[in-house]
């Protein structure tokens, strides 16, 4: 780590939701390593405490779907850190089943955490970031919010909502607060462990990715850190895809043209 990168978040005060594992944990480590004071928010109190201890920050246990808990967490964190300049909305939950098989409870959970949780945090944090002199919000959406896939209907709908919410917030909160999003593809995290840990499923995911592998939490964290930094001072309302190129092919035309280029075209 260079001296310049360590100073990138000098005096920054960051709050990372879902910071107890995966992309959130990697983001907490990176922001702290580059100079930020970090509050780790997670509904798992032990996980939040473990990461906070590792990065020299503070831990908060809260459910982002609870608007009152989010408001308290933002207020208390800003008071403890002397302000708030960065919020990373990373908390999320997912599951996979046929659209018509989702229950009301599952729909409410997926929308409540992924979309309402992001809204709750933006609403609570934006005024505090403004009072702190300005800063950035980065939302973690998903590639399936841009390109839906089978089995993740409610999750994809929620993440598509986060993309639109990101754009609306960017319009309304500028110029003091920039708001952007990342849209990860298949990333090696606890959320994707059922796929990553299955050799056949992982191979299928990797075969559909031009980079030939799944991504790491640290790779997404670096994009989040960029969007939260002054290096991205003129970027707002954008969703940056971090997917190893997996969204690039058209399933129909790519398969057809591959047949031609492989010499298997029609005769």
């Amino acid at each position: 780590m260079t001296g310049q990168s360590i100073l990138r978040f000098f005096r920054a005060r960051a709050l990372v939701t879902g910071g107890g594992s995966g992309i959130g944990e990697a983001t907490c480590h990176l922001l702290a390593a580059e100079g930020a004071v970090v509050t780790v928010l997670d509904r798992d109190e032990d996980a939040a405490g473990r990461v906070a201890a590792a990065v020299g920050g503070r831990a908060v246990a809260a459910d982002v779907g609870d608007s009152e808990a989010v408001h308290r967490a933002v207020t208390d964190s800003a008071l403890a850190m002397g302000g708030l300049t960065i919020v990373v909305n990373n908390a999320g939950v997912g599951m996979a089943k046929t659209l018509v098989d989702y229950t009301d409870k599952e729909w409410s959970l997926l929308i409540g955490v992924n979309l309402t949780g992001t809204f709750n945090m933006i609403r609570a944090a934006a005024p505090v970031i403004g009072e702190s002199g300005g800063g950035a919000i980065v939302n973690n959406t998903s590639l399936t919010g841009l390109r839906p896939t089978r089995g993740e209907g409610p999750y994809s709908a929620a993440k598509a909502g986060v993309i639109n919410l990101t754009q609306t917030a960017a319009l309304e909160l500028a110029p003091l607060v920039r708001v952007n999003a990342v849209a990860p593809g298949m990333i090696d995290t606890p959320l994707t462990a059922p796929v990553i840990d299955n050799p056949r499923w992982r191979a299928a995911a990797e075969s559909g990715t031009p980079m030939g592998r799944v991504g790491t939490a640290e790779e997404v964290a670096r994009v989040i850190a960029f969007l939260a930094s002054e290096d991205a001072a003129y970027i707002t309302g954008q969703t940056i895809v971090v997917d190893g190129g997996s969204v690039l092919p058209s399933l129909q035309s790519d398969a057809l043209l591959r047949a031609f280029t492989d010499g298997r075209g029609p005769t």
Side-chain angles (χ1 to χ4, degrees):
M1 196 79 67
T2 66
Q4 183 178 4
S5 66
I6 290 174
L7 293 175
R8 183 159 62 150
F9 293 106
F10 180 61
R11 293 181 179 170
R13 285 87 74 197
L15 172 62
V16 180
T17 75
S21 65
I23 293 170
E25 179 177 2
T27 301
C28 289
H29 278 275
L30 182 56
L31 292 178
E34 296 196 359
V37 177
V38 178
T39 291
V40 184
L41 187 150
D42 202 286
R43 63 181 178 179
D44 184 332
E45 185 175 5
D46 292 339
R50 174 182 57 80
V51 176
V55 303
R58 60 189 302 274
V60 173
D63 180 352
V64 295
D66 182 338
S67 61
E68 292 185 2
V70 166
H71 181 77
R72 287 194 302 271
V74 168
T75 301
D76 293 347
S77 297
L79 183 62
M81 294 189 295
L84 183 64
T85 60
I86 296 170
V87 167
V88 179
N89 281 309
N90 172 74
V93 62
M95 62 181 71
K97 59 171 63 177
T98 304
L99 183 63
V100 298
D101 290 329
Y102 279 96
T103 65
D104 291 349
K105 184 176 181 180
E106 290 166 342
W107 169 268
S108 296
L109 173 66
L110 291 164
I111 300 299
V113 174
N114 295 304
L115 180 55
T116 305
T118 301
F119 166 73
N120 286 341
M121 184 57 68
I122 293 174
R123 180 176 59 179
V128 180
I129 296 175
E131 292 167 2
S132 301
I137 296 172
V138 184
N139 301 321
N140 190 354
T141 178
S142 170
L143 190 61
T144 63
L146 291 164
R147 301 286 180 87
T149 187
R150 293 176 179 86
E152 292 188 324
Y155 176 83
S156 298
K159 292 300 189 177
V162 170
I163 293 170
N164 190 282
L165 188 63
T166 297
Q167 296 169 339
T168 301
L171 282 171
E172 295 187 2
L173 301 179
L176 275 180
V177 183
R178 295 182 301 103
V179 188
N180 291 290
V182 293
M186 182 60 66
I187 306 297
D188 189 354
T189 70
L191 188 64
T192 61
V195 173
I196 301 300
D197 295 342
N198 183 304
R200 183 168 63 87
W201 291 353
R202 179 167 186 153
E206 291 176 339
S207 68
T209 306
M211 293 296 290
R213 62 177 177 84
V214 298
T216 68
E218 290 74 18
E219 287 171 323
V220 181
R222 286 197 285 271
V223 179
I224 291 172
F226 164 70
L227 291 172
S229 76
E230 286 302 307
D231 292 339
Y234 201 54
I235 300 175
T236 195
Q238 303 305 304
T239 297
I240 308 300
V241 176
V242 188
D243 73 334
S246 65
V247 78
L248 292 174
S250 162
L251 292 178
Q252 182 183 64
S253 60
D254 189 61
L256 174 62
L257 292 172
R258 182 177 295 180
F260 276 102
T261 57
D262 289 347
R264 295 183 287 108
T267 57

